[in-house]
Amino acid sequence: MGRKILTTKQSALVASALSLILAIAPAIAQSVPAEIAKAAEEACIRSAGDKGFVYKETISVEPKTGDINGAVVVLSLDQNGQIAKLTCGYSASTGAMFDDGARAAVPQALINPWLLFLPALIGFPLFLWWWGNSLDRSRGYARRDRTDAIVRNHGRNINIYSGPEDNYDVTGYVQDGQRVTLSGLHKNEWVELAEGGWIRSEHLESSVGGSRYATTR
């Protein structure tokens, strides 16, 4: 009889089957018997509890080299808010034993790294506010609360200037009777509009009570 020659397709199937066998063979050979795996996991969890750890989950159970009745268990544990991944060796004769790192573990409070930036996040806006007020005072400006006022100029419009003096550019105007919002910044008899620009306070009436708006309290 002549030898059968495998086709390319058959060769590929054989190669795939061999690869699959080679891939799962180590896992089958190294698997831990179910009763030993269960005993190892339970013993390691009890030992972790005795050391002050709180069990979270079992990560893996692997064979223990040189001990067919043993296993190596990796646990995810919690101690005072600190999560640790610790290895426990188990033997049917000696029980569960954690490595030295687990016995010497010292819990530390977790600190959110963003808290380190909190002083800067709070302090920087405060610094800008202080610097702005200092700059205003150095230029002769003063501040009061943001408020509304009504323009009163006997039926005539009044000009809006780019700064608190008549020699600044005229940028627009407001109408007599118009309600305006003031930023709170003022200098001498000039007040700043919230949307920008300056007008004389003598042409303003307080929106509350109808009295003449004053730049001093």
Side-chain angles (χ1 to χ4, degrees):
M1 295 178 63
R3 267 188 323 178
K4 289 185 178 180
I5 300 175
L6 296 177
T7 65
T8 302
K9 184 175 182 180
Q10 290 173 328
S11 300
L13 289 174
V14 172
S16 298
L18 289 174
S19 299
L20 180 60
I21 293 171
L22 291 174
I24 65 174
I28 295 174
Q30 296 179 6
S31 63
V32 180
E35 64 276 11
I36 295 178
K38 181 179 180 181
E41 184 178 8
E42 291 176 349
C44 288
I45 292 173
R46 285 195 302 270
S47 180
D50 294 340
K51 298 178 185 300
F53 291 97
V54 176
Y55 171 75
K56 303 294 288 185
E57 64 175 332
T58 300
I59 298 174
S60 65
V61 180
E62 302 292 340
K64 186 175 183 181
T65 304
D67 188 353
I68 60 174
N69 294 318
V72 177
V73 183
V74 180
L75 300 176
S76 175
L77 305 170
D78 177 281
Q79 191 176 57
N80 295 342
Q82 183 178 13
I83 303 298
K85 184 176 75 171
L86 300 178
T87 301
C88 169
Y90 170 80
S91 174
S93 58
T94 60
M97 292 186 62
F98 281 92
D99 58 26
D100 293 338
R103 290 195 294 272
V106 178
Q108 297 182 7
L110 295 178
I111 299 177
N112 191 322
W114 285 106
L115 293 178
L116 300 176
F117 295 96
L118 189 58
L121 292 174
I122 296 175
F124 186 65
L126 290 176
F127 169 77
L128 291 179
W129 173 82
W130 171 84
W131 179 77
N133 284 342
S134 299
L135 187 61
D136 288 342
R137 287 193 296 270
S138 68
R139 295 176 176 176
Y141 296 97
R143 280 194 178 275
R144 56 182 301 180
D145 294 337
R146 183 186 178 106
T147 186
D148 290 343
I150 300 172
V151 178
R152 298 298 187 199
N153 195 32
H154 308 290
R156 297 191 300 272
N157 299 334
I158 62 173
N159 290 332
I160 300 174
Y161 293 86
S162 60
E165 290 181 6
D166 289 326
N167 57 356
Y168 281 91
D169 294 335
V170 175
T171 59
Y173 66 89
V174 289
Q175 297 176 335
D176 183 51
Q178 180 178 339
R179 180 185 290 267
V180 294
T181 301
L182 308 177
S183 69
L185 189 66
H186 61 90
K187 181 178 182 181
N188 299 326
E189 297 301 318
W190 292 81
V191 293
E192 184 187 45
L193 299 173
E195 62 270 20
W198 293 77
I199 59 177
R200 286 185 176 274
S201 62
E202 64 188 54
H203 301 303
L204 296 176
E205 181 181 276
S206 174
S207 61
V208 180
S211 60
R212 181 65 63 182
Y213 180 86
T215 54
T216 57
R217 293 175 184 262

